């Protein structure tokens, strides 16, 4: 048996928030710690905060590690740095897909139902679902996931900044442009509409597959799907490829709202959007 070639990625995800006036206090949740899964092992991970404060961790309902913290003194800025070292391996061969009848049977009797229903972010029109259904006629679940992903990316061009964090799936479709979040929401909504349980994955994608060792590379957070066809299978509709050793999973949920990297509330005057940077270094 051939041993899969693994790689090790060091990831540094920094979020900086500047307030128009010093925030009186803030309460925060951070989802930036990669999971340990088959094909992915988190060797080291830590979240640091400036101004310094105590943090705590817990696992949420969807299986994501959350770091929480409160800042109870006035602060003009907030910097969150999540550092991790992750070992990844290529995905194994696809298992033969079950029949659609089997997918429906298992879904109806399990927690897969939570990934089969639309959400406000993934709702698509009945007309668009029927278009996808016609396209997928005669295809098995694996083939359907690829075909529907192609339908979305043929319509929605990847253009950074074309949409905002609150853009709905149908708004991105009608606009014909979006980012990975929009493409993932659209693909998720359509596959659910066809009866295939699908979850939203939040994580990272190294932007250079053959990056030289120890050279830092600027990147960003990424989103893709996992659909259930006998087991969970990752697929990246934005890049038309299976999720592989360049993808690092942080969290999964029904949509972006379940896996938001940073969310919180604060007392103070509204400021501008956070400044986010992600740096990758391949170390093996």
């Amino acid at each position: 048996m051939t041993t899969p070639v693994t790689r090790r990625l060091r990831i540094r995800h920094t979020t900086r928030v500047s307030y128009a006036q010093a925030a009186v206090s803030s309460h925060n949740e951070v989802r930036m710690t990669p999971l340990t899964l088959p094909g992915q092992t988190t060797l080291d991970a830590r979240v640091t905060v400036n101004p310094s404060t105590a943090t705590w961790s817990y696992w949420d309902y969807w299986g994501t590690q959350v770091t929480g913290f409160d800042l109870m003194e006035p602060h003009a800025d907030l910097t969150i740095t999540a550092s991790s070292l992750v070992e990844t391996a290529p995905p194994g061969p696809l298992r033969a897909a079950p029949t659609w009848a089997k997918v429906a049977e298992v879904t109806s009797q399990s927690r897969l139902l939570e990934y089969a229903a639309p959400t406000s972010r993934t709702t698509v029109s009945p007309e668009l679902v029927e278009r996808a259904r016609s396209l997928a006629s005669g295809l098995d679940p694996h083939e359907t996931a690829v075909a529907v992903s192609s339908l979305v990316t043929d319509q929605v061009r990847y253009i950074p900044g074309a949409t905002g964090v609150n853009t709905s799936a149908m708004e991105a479709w009608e606009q014909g442009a979006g980012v990975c979040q929009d493409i993932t929401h659209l693909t998720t909504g359509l596959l659910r509409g066809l009866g295939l349980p699908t979850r939203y994955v939040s994580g990272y994608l190294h932007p250079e597959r053959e990056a030289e060792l120890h050279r830092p590379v600027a990147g960003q957070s990424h989103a893709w799907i996992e659909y259930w066809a006998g087991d969970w299978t990752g697929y990246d509709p934005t890049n038309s490829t299976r999720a592989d050793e360049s993808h690092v999973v942080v969290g999964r949920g029904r949509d972006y709202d379940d896996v938001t990297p940073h969310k919180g509330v604060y007392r103070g005057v509204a400021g501008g959007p956070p400044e986010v940077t992600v740096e990758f270094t391949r170390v093996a």
Side-chain angles (χ1 to χ4, degrees), residues 113-275:
L113 273 174
E114 295 179 309
Y115 300 108
T119 66
S120 59
R121 286 187 177 272
T122 63
T123 296
V124 293
S125 68
E127 294 78 13
L128 189 52
V129 172
E130 285 308 308
R131 181 171 171 182
R133 193 182 308 281
S134 176
L135 177 69
S137 178
L139 302 182
D140 71 20
H142 291 311
E143 295 165 336
T144 295
V146 174
V148 169
S149 296
S150 295
L151 172 65
V152 171
T153 54
D154 285 347
Q155 168 70 17
V156 181
R157 292 172 297 155
Y158 178 81
I159 301 179
T163 53
V165 69
N166 293 316
T167 301
S168 71
M170 284 307 299
E171 287 171 338
W173 176 268
E174 291 162 358
Q175 182 173 301
V179 294
C180 59
Q181 173 181 307
D182 307 298
I183 292 169
T184 299
H185 278 149
L186 269 166
T187 306
T188 297
L190 287 171
L191 291 177
R192 289 176 182 170
L194 299 181
L196 190 62
T198 305
R199 57 192 182 188
Y200 182 104
V201 184
S202 174
Y204 305 105
L205 172 63
H206 195 298
E208 296 183 17
R209 177 174 295 277
E210 300 304 326
E212 60 187 89
L213 296 180
H214 309 297
R215 178 174 64 87
V217 175
Q220 56 191 344
S221 298
H222 193 53
W224 61 97
I225 66 167
E226 289 179 350
Y227 61 89
W228 192 86
D231 57 9
W232 289 106
T233 300
Y235 191 80
D236 183 347
T238 303
N239 294 292
S240 302
T241 184
R242 285 187 70 189
D244 60 19
E245 66 274 19
S246 293
H247 293 74
V248 176
V249 177
V250 170
R252 299 119 148 189
R254 296 162 299 177
D255 59 26
Y256 174 82
D257 289 337
D258 289 336
V259 292
T260 307
H262 173 223
K263 66 172 66 173
V265 295
Y266 67 92
R267 292 177 58 205
V269 178
E275 175 189 342

Side-chain angles (χ1 to χ4, degrees), residues 18 26 39-40 53 59 69 90 93 109-110 147 168 191 283:
S18 296
S26 65
Q40 175 179 306
T53 189
W59 297 92
F69 62 92
Q109 300 173 1
S110 69
S168 71
L191 291 177
V283 297

Side-chain angles (χ1 to χ4, degrees), residues 14-18 78-80 273-277:
T14 304
T15 300
R16 296 182 178 88
V17 181
S18 296
L78 168 63
T79 301
I80 304 165
E275 175 189 342
V276 178
T277 60

Side-chain angles (χ1 to χ4, degrees), residues 38-50:
Q40 175 179 306
T41 302
T42 299
L43 303 172
D44 182 53
R46 62 197 66 194
V47 176
T48 58
V49 181
N50 187 23

